[in-house]
Amino acid sequence: MALSATAAHHRAKIAALSRSRTADDPELIAAHRDLRAERLADHVQKVLADAPPLTDAQRERIAALLRVGPRPQADHADLGLADTSPNQVGGDV
């Protein structure tokens, strides 16, 4: 998938910062985060353009993933995103 103009901008910023900054530099870390967020947004737009419309429940479930941020899998049970069945071994639905 080709990069959007915004993602390309973030990638160029990373390249420029990488020449003079260490890997733990806050501005470089932020630039990496911004590129990841833009690539995720680009991917979501592409998937939504190719998919049938989502139901309200599906949109809410996906939005919940973005609102909570990274959490251990076990903590997702309150969102209905983890398999809580006692007879099943496994992870997220």
Side-chain angles (χ1 to χ4, degrees):
M1 179 166 88
L3 287 179
S4 67
T6 305
H9 165 79
H10 290 300
R11 187 175 65 179
K13 183 174 182 179
I14 290 169
L17 290 170
S18 295
R19 288 192 280 270
S20 60
R21 311 282 178 105
T22 60
D24 63 346
D25 179 80
E27 194 173 354
L28 181 57
I29 291 169
H32 278 283
R33 181 200 60 228
D34 294 345
L35 175 59
R36 284 188 202 104
E38 187 60 33
R39 291 182 70 185
L40 175 60
D42 290 347
H43 180 72
V44 169
Q45 285 179 328
K46 181 187 180 310
V47 169
L48 291 175
D50 295 341
L54 297 172
T55 66
D56 289 343
Q58 290 167 329
R59 278 193 301 277
E60 187 57 36
R61 180 174 180 249
I62 293 167
L65 288 170
L66 296 173
R67 280 193 299 270
V68 298
R71 298 192 316 181
Q73 176 183 337
D75 289 347
H76 287 135
D78 61 317
L79 300 174
L81 302 176
D83 181 3
T84 58
S85 169
N87 299 326
Q88 301 249 342
V89 176
D92 289 346
V93 187

